[in-house]
Amino acid sequence: MRVAFLIIVLSLFSFSQIAAQTEEKIAFGPYIQQMNMKDAVISWSTLEGEVIIADENGKKDTIRNYQQHKVHLAGLQPNTTYSYDVLNDGTDEGKGTLTTYPETSIPFNFVAIGDTRSRNNVHKKIISQVQKLNPKFIVNSGDLVANGLSIKDWETFFDINEDFMRNTPYYPVLGNHEKDSPYYYDFFDLPNNERYYYFTVGDALFVVLDSEGLRTTIPAFTTDNMKDAYWHESGIDYMNTQKQWLENVLKLNRQAGFVFIFQHLPLYSVKKSRVEESKMVREFWGDIFKRYQVQAYINGHDHHYHHALDDGIHFITSAGAGAPLYDIDAVQPETVSYKKIEHFMNIEVNEKNAVLHVIDIDGNEFDTIKIKRRKTK
């Protein structure tokens, strides 16, 4: 692995009076997006102003407004570590490192977490455990925050992840709590159309799907027995387009040795109230994962750990990184193991297999899954 030094000197923004009065010039970041073998994006946000909102009783609240900045880096060398500095002012505030992805299949590890919302102390402790493993990147399977429309929730998210994200690419998945918020698309710079996308590392393919679709506000006049139909019919064209896109991506990348799919909703739920929903999701996707030999499908939404195996595909619910945990009350025939526990997964990929280490909040491994490299033509 090569090591290089990169200084990014940027004078493309000026700070508002509010920002100038604070000690820090950067509000969120810097952090790494759109990593590739020869390209990367560094993003950060600055405070631009504040809006004061008051109710009829005079109770006030302050909503901060942020300006997003990013710089595209091109012509980098594969498998090379670069240091960067977006401020170049003698402080550490704008500094970080990035390591480009390799051209060849070499061993690496990445982390999968889910549902970091709500309990910030759990989220923070999980991230501290993750940092010890120095993953090449992280994927969060949705519900990053409790309310995607609340800037205060995003302020907390970036505060918890500040040190981690300045050195490690972060890939999010849209969950129901993101609420299709503009903040999500402002703060993250993602491949493809940003709602669903894919990227590769070595000979591994990573596909992120959007199980939520285009968020629609159901009119008040819609009766309860029509709400499910309204939700389904309003987004079916979008979901069918995404399904065709996935088919094309899997066909195009048929020589990938490993295929990991990420989505927020599970295909196999062990939460009784969500079993029927998971069956509907499973029916929608049909046999596409089997036909293309997908090895692992990782989701969030159900706040616990669950491993199911069907047709050689590992369906894993990993949603124990902050949201309140759920009881497990509907074990399925496909269930292999399960546990109501705060956790994350460290996944090691090498030329022959991938090993999924399921780790609790204290750093103890309590389940292990091994998958073999696909036979490709």
Side-chain angles (χ1 to χ4, degrees):
M1 179 184 295
R2 293 177 288 273
V3 178
F5 185 71
L6 175 67
I7 299 178
I8 304 169
V9 183
L10 292 160
S11 58
L12 55 88
F13 63 90
S14 61
F15 298 108
S16 66
Q17 289 183 340
I18 293 175
Q21 292 171 359
T22 64
E23 293 183 0
E24 295 183 344
K25 297 178 182 178
I26 297 175
F28 308 146
Y31 53 97
I32 304 164
Q33 298 281 274
Q34 291 267 27
M35 179 60 71
N36 209 312
M37 292 181 292
K38 298 181 179 180
D39 308 282
V41 170
I42 299 176
S43 298
W44 68 99
S45 302
T46 55
L47 178 63
E48 291 296 299
E50 295 178 340
V51 175
I52 306 298
I53 184 171
D55 63 18
E56 59 185 9
N57 297 316
K59 183 180 179 181
K60 295 182 179 181
D61 195 10
T62 302
I63 311 298
R64 296 179 182 87
N65 176 45
Y66 298 93
Q67 178 65 42
Q68 188 69 1
H69 310 278
K70 62 182 178 181
V71 59
H72 293 264
L73 308 177
L76 305 177
Q77 295 298 311
N79 197 34
T80 301
T81 296
Y82 293 86
S83 297
Y84 67 82
D85 188 347
V86 302
L87 293 179
N88 194 32
D89 63 353
T91 71
D92 292 333
E93 187 181 352
K95 293 181 180 180
T97 62
L98 62 86
T99 302
T100 52
Y101 294 158
E103 284 184 305
T104 58
S105 300
I106 62 174
F108 67 92
N109 70 303
F110 71 95
V111 163
I113 62 174
D115 292 73
T116 49
R117 66 175 180 87
S118 304
R119 293 186 297 162
N120 298 323
N121 59 325
V122 173
H123 182 189
K124 189 172 184 178
K125 192 169 182 180
I126 290 285
I127 290 299
S128 69
Q129 293 290 353
V130 168
Q131 285 184 282
K132 298 175 184 177
L133 299 170
N134 192 30
K136 188 163 289 293
F137 59 88
I138 190 171
V139 182
N140 188 325
S141 56
D143 285 2
L144 284 70
V145 295
N147 184 348
L149 296 173
S150 168
I151 189 60
K152 293 185 178 182
D153 283 6
W154 288 110
E155 288 170 341
T156 300
F157 172 85
F158 281 104
D159 180 60
I160 291 172
N161 288 281
E162 179 180 3
D163 291 337
F164 177 66
M165 290 178 69
R166 70 173 59 234
N167 303 315
T168 309
Y170 200 109
Y171 296 95
V173 179
L174 279 165
N176 53 299
H177 280 266
E178 270 64 67
K179 299 182 183 294
D180 206 22
S181 169
Y183 290 134
Y184 179 90
Y185 306 104
D186 287 345
F187 292 137
F188 294 104
D189 190 280
L190 304 170
N192 308 129
N193 67 11
E194 294 196 297
R195 291 178 171 275
Y196 47 89
Y197 58 92
Y198 77 94
F199 62 97
T200 61
V201 180
D203 73 340
L205 170 68
F206 302 88
V207 182
V208 170
L209 299 175
D210 173 19
S211 61
E212 302 310 305
L214 303 174
R215 296 289 295 187
T216 302
T217 299
I218 299 177
F221 57 71
T222 306
T223 57
D224 288 343
N225 63 340
M226 279 296 295
K227 286 182 178 178
D228 286 344
Y230 188 99
W231 183 264
H232 176 77
E233 293 169 14
S234 66
I236 191 62
D237 290 341
Y238 170 84
M239 293 302 294
N240 282 332
T241 298
Q242 181 180 192
K243 187 175 182 179
Q244 184 58 57
W245 172 87
L246 176 61
E247 184 103 25
N248 293 338
V249 168
L250 293 176
K251 186 182 299 181
L252 179 66
N253 293 279
R254 56 187 174 273
Q255 290 186 308
F258 300 93
V259 180
F260 297 89
I261 304 285
F262 297 87
Q263 181 177 273
H264 188 59
L265 291 182
L267 265 65
Y268 292 90
S269 179
V270 287
K271 181 175 170 57
K272 189 175 182 179
S273 62
R274 292 178 172 175
V275 169
E276 288 304 314
E277 180 186 42
S278 69
K279 288 181 179 178
M280 291 174 59
V281 177
R282 195 159 69 239
E283 288 171 1
F284 172 78
W285 290 111
D287 67 347
I288 189 169
F289 303 119
K290 180 182 178 181
R291 284 189 289 110
Y292 287 97
Q293 298 178 284
V294 171
Q295 293 126 308
Y297 174 101
I298 300 172
N299 64 268
H301 198 51
D302 291 354
H303 308 159
H304 46 232
Y305 170 71
H306 175 233
H307 173 209
L309 183 62
D310 190 15
D311 282 326
I313 305 169
H314 298 274
F315 295 92
I316 303 163
T317 295
S318 179
L325 296 178
Y326 291 160
D327 290 331
I328 296 167
D329 54 7
V331 175
Q332 299 298 301
E334 297 84 2
T335 296
V336 177
S337 59
Y338 58 88
K339 196 167 188 178
K340 180 181 177 182
I341 191 171
E342 290 97 356
H343 71 281
F344 65 96
M345 291 195 296
N346 180 44
I347 302 171
E348 297 179 319
V349 180
N350 58 52
E351 294 182 359
K352 295 183 178 180
N353 55 51
V355 182
L356 289 68
H357 304 276
V358 191
I359 302 170
D360 69 18
I361 194 170
D362 295 316
N364 303 307
E365 185 169 342
F366 64 89
D367 202 4
T368 307
I369 303 168
K370 181 178 287 188
I371 61 176
K372 294 182 179 180
R373 187 185 187 279
R374 299 193 311 170
K375 296 180 179 179
T376 56
K377 297 180 180 179

